[in-house]
Each structure stands twice: as C-alpha cells, then as structure tokens.
C-alpha cells in the first residue's frame, strides 16, 4: 500500500491571510501535486475560484465533490458539510497527489478537524502532517487579535464546534496550542520594534519547538509550509484545547449569505463606496467577489472585512467568459432586495 498522503491544516481568524497563503502555494508548488480543500460559506465559490485563478485550469468539475483539476497538476476542492466524502474521493486519487492542504473556514478550530483523521475511513490513507496557524500581526499589535471583531463574533455564532460564550482569547489560545508553526502576516503594517514585540510575545505562548515565521503576502517556501511529519492525529493529547470536552452546539440560523450578479461595469472606487455604504446600513461581516471594471482587460478581485475593503487584479477575462460583477456578502439577516437596490 502506498504511504499515507500528508495533510497540512491552515487555520487562523477571519481576514488573517489564509487564502492568500494557499494561493501563493499553488502558484509556487515546485512540482508538487497539491489538493487544496477550501471550506467555504456561501453558495458561490469565491474562495475556490480565487484559488483556481492562480493558474489556467481545466474547467471540469467532479459532479459530486466539486473537485477541479488544475493545469499545474494540483486539485481544488470546495466543501461545506461534505468533508468525509471529499477526502475519500481524494484518497482514490492518491497516486496523483503529493500533499493535501486544508484551509479552514473563518473561526473553525483545528483540533476537531484533526480528530477526523482518526476515523477508520481516513486514517489508513492520510495523516495530518502539520498544523499552521496564521496570525494577523497588525491586529495582534492593536490588542484585538482580529481585524474586525464583529465578523469574528458572527463566525463564532455560526460555528457548531464552538462554545459561543467563550472569550476570543481562549479561541486564539486553542489555535496556537495546536500549531506546528505560526505564520505572522501583515507585518508590513507595523514598524520593526512592534513586529519584534509581537513575535516575542507569541513565542512565549508556544513550545520552544514551534517557531513564529514572518510572512508577507503569503510568500513562503513550500519547504517550510509542508513536511512537518508530525502525525498530529496521534499526538493530540500534547495539544490541549479549551474545548476538549464540549458537545456540539446549534448554529445561528440568522447568519446568511447574499449573492449579487451584475452585468454593468464599475469604477473601482464607486463600487467600494457602495459596499462601504452597505456595511453601514446592514450587519455585513465579509465581502468577496470579482468586479468587471470598465475599459480594463483584467478581472478585479475584491475582498472586505468590516469596512476595510481591498482589491487587486488577478487575471485577464477569458474570451468565452461573460464579463460580470459577482459578489458574495456574508452577514446577519441580510436582505437580497435591499442590497440589490444599492447597485441598481
């Protein structure tokens, strides 16, 4: 039997930079055949499409598991509650996969996910090679742990694995406690003494074997991100969690997503202004999407956490691709018609 496929789990708070990290890894896979699993919230696969856009990919979906084959030999999967079937499908392709990387959703804790690799259906074919926790240096320096506290609270209410009344400090401690490495992102937003202070504080919270590595725009060598050989699922007792003995909780049904598809082109500043207006009017926690910019051959990616909205151009529009603006807004009690009116 072939060796177990090594699995790397990337965890971290909403907006810490996990998707940017994964996207960079796919662009610089150094010949590795990597399967990336993105656990999304929302009906439209913004994260999955963003990851696929880093390479030209064969637009052939697996009808049952939403597995897409990338031209660089990688796979991209998007799952919500179908984790086990997706893993089983990937294990059928084990001769074509060198690594699996799982980007957890917003506030998902790593330990319950790692425990799933003890299941008989999985443990013979895959092992958790390592857990990487992504930390926002700018937010930690400001004492908030996360760039938008409202978005974090909404994600926590929607996550059935979490104790909803637990202080976010405990959730952060759980993510650190499970880590084999901590990536410190957004270091360019603080000065050198502040970065050093944050780094030293983090190192005090971690075992000496767990290192804190600065990371700018997801730029880190695959040799650092992959290959811990930790067998994490067999060593969970050494990674204590505040949630080790808790049962599942009901999720918050008020959290929903709204998908907006618009045929008109936009000026980047105009659409950002409209989105900030919406954030003020409704309880919106996360914005993701692609924008058709007038007289621009490139597609613009737009992402927002709270009222902080960022954008970049990722690739040219394809000849057979309809130029549309596609947005996904995640929040509490969002109303499709009210949101649509802002763009009408």
């Amino acid at each position: 039997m072939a060796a177990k496929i090594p699995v790397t789990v990337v965890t971290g708070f909403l907006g810490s930079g996990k998707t940017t990290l994964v996207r960079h890894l796919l662009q610089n896979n150094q010949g590795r055949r990597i399967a990336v699993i993105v656990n999304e919230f929302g009906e439209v696969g913004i994260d999955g499409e963003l990851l696929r856009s880093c390479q030209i990919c064969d637009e052939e979906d697996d009808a049952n598991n939403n597995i897409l084959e990338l031209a660089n030999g990688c796979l991209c999967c998007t799952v919500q509650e179908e984790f086990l079937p997706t893993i089983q499908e990937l294990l059928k392709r084990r001769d074509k996969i060198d690594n699996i990387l799982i980007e957890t959703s917003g506030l998902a804790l790593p330990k319950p996910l790692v425990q799933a690799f003890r299941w008989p259906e999985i443990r013979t074919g895959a092992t958790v090679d390592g857990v990487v926790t992504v930390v926002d240096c700018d937010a930690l320096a400001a004492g908030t742990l996360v760039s938008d506290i409202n978005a974090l609270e909404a994600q926590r209410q929607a996550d059935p694995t979490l104790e909803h009344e637990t202080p976010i400090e405990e959730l952060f401690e759980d993510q650190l406690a499970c880590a084999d490495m901590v990536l410190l992102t957004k270091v360019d937003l603080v000065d050198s003494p502040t970065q050093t202070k944050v780094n030293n504080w983090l190192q005090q919270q971690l075992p000496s074997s767990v290192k804190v590595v600065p990371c700018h725009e997801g730029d880190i060598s695959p040799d650092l991100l992959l290959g811990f050989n930790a067998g994490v699922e067999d060593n969970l007792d050494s990674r204590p969690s505040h949630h080790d003995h808790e049962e599942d909780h009901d999720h918050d049904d008020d959290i929903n997503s709204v998908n907006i598809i618009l045929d008109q082109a936009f000026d980047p500043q105009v659409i950002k202004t409209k989105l900030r207006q919406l954030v003020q009017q409704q309880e919106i926690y996360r914005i993701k999407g692609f924008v058709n910019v007038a007289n621009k051959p490139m597609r613009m990616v737009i992402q927002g956490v709270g009222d902080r909205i960022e954008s970049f151009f990722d690739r040219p529009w394809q000849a057979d691709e309809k130029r549309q603006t596609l947005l996904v807004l995640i929040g509490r009690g969002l109303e499709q018609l009210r949101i649509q009116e802002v763009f009408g």
Side-chain angles (χ1 to χ4, degrees), residues 1-6 94 98 117 122-127 233-234:
M1 178 178 291
K4 294 182 180 181
I5 300 176
R94 59 195 302 168
D98 297 316
F117 285 83
I122 299 178
R123 70 175 300 127
T124 58
T127 179
E233 70 274 13
D234 295 324

Side-chain angles (χ1 to χ4, degrees), residues 222-233:
D223 292 330
L224 282 177
L225 195 63
L226 309 174
F228 289 95
N229 299 314
V232 182
E233 70 274 13

Side-chain angles (χ1 to χ4, degrees), residues 9-270:
V9 175
V10 177
T11 187
F13 283 157
L14 180 73
S16 61
K18 300 188 299 297
T19 298
T20 301
L21 174 72
V22 176
R23 190 170 185 270
H24 183 273
L25 177 65
L26 286 183
Q27 289 175 315
N28 302 274
N29 63 0
Q30 297 180 357
R32 293 175 175 88
R33 299 167 300 174
I34 302 171
V36 174
I37 298 178
V38 183
N39 190 355
E40 297 189 43
F41 188 102
E43 296 177 3
V44 179
I46 295 295
D47 280 350
E49 170 62 19
L50 182 57
L51 291 174
R52 293 198 300 273
S53 72
C54 70
Q55 297 283 346
I56 298 174
C57 75
D58 302 323
E59 295 292 341
E60 294 293 335
D61 287 80
D62 182 296
N64 297 317
N65 296 286
N66 196 20
I67 297 175
L68 292 100
E69 307 236 10
L70 307 191
N72 65 356
C74 298
L75 301 172
C76 183
C77 318
T78 56
V79 301
Q80 291 185 353
E81 298 178 356
E82 302 299 323
F83 173 74
L84 178 58
T86 301
I87 285 289
Q88 289 177 311
E89 184 65 27
L90 289 177
L91 291 180
K92 293 177 185 177
R93 310 182 186 201
R94 59 195 302 168
D95 60 329
K96 298 180 179 179
I97 297 174
D98 297 316
N99 303 86
I100 296 174
L101 191 144
I102 301 175
E103 178 195 342
T104 64
S105 59
L107 262 177
L109 293 174
K111 197 164 183 178
L113 175 60
V114 173
Q115 287 171 331
F117 285 83
R118 293 176 171 177
W119 297 347
E121 302 93 333
I122 299 178
R123 70 175 300 127
T124 58
T127 179
V128 180
D129 179 76
V131 176
V132 176
T133 297
V134 183
V135 175
D136 183 331
C137 182
D138 185 42
L140 192 58
T144 61
L145 301 182
V146 62
S147 58
D148 188 281
I149 189 64
N150 290 329
L152 179 143
E153 290 296 341
Q155 287 264 323
R156 178 164 64 174
Q157 292 297 323
D159 192 330
T161 67
L162 300 180
E163 169 55 58
H164 298 163
E165 301 305 320
T166 302
I168 62 170
E169 289 80 8
E170 289 188 7
L171 303 180
F172 184 63
E173 289 168 6
D174 282 359
Q175 292 182 348
L176 292 181
C178 203
D180 292 281
M181 184 172 70
V182 172
L183 288 186
L184 193 60
T185 62
K186 304 184 182 179
V187 293
D188 56 309
L189 300 181
V190 302
D191 57 26
S192 181
T194 300
Q195 179 185 335
T196 299
K197 183 178 179 180
V198 169
N199 184 91
N200 292 342
W201 181 87
L202 276 172
Q203 203 65 68
Q204 292 173 6
Q205 315 306 312
L206 300 164
S208 58
S209 60
V210 178
K211 302 305 180 186
V212 178
V213 180
C215 179
H216 177 65
E217 296 293 334
D219 186 0
I220 184 170
S221 169
D223 292 330
L224 282 177
L225 195 63
L226 309 174
F228 289 95
N229 299 314
V232 182
E233 70 274 13
D234 295 324
N235 297 285
L236 282 175
D237 289 344
S238 64
R239 303 172 191 235
S241 165
H242 291 283
H243 305 268
D244 283 342
H245 305 293
E246 294 176 358
E247 301 294 333
D248 286 353
H249 298 270
D250 293 333
H251 66 277
D252 190 336
D253 290 327
D254 290 338
I255 304 299
N256 68 317
S257 64
V258 168
N259 304 322
I260 303 294
I261 300 176
L262 305 162
D263 289 327
Q264 70 260 43
F266 287 91
D267 175 272
Q269 293 307 315
V270 170

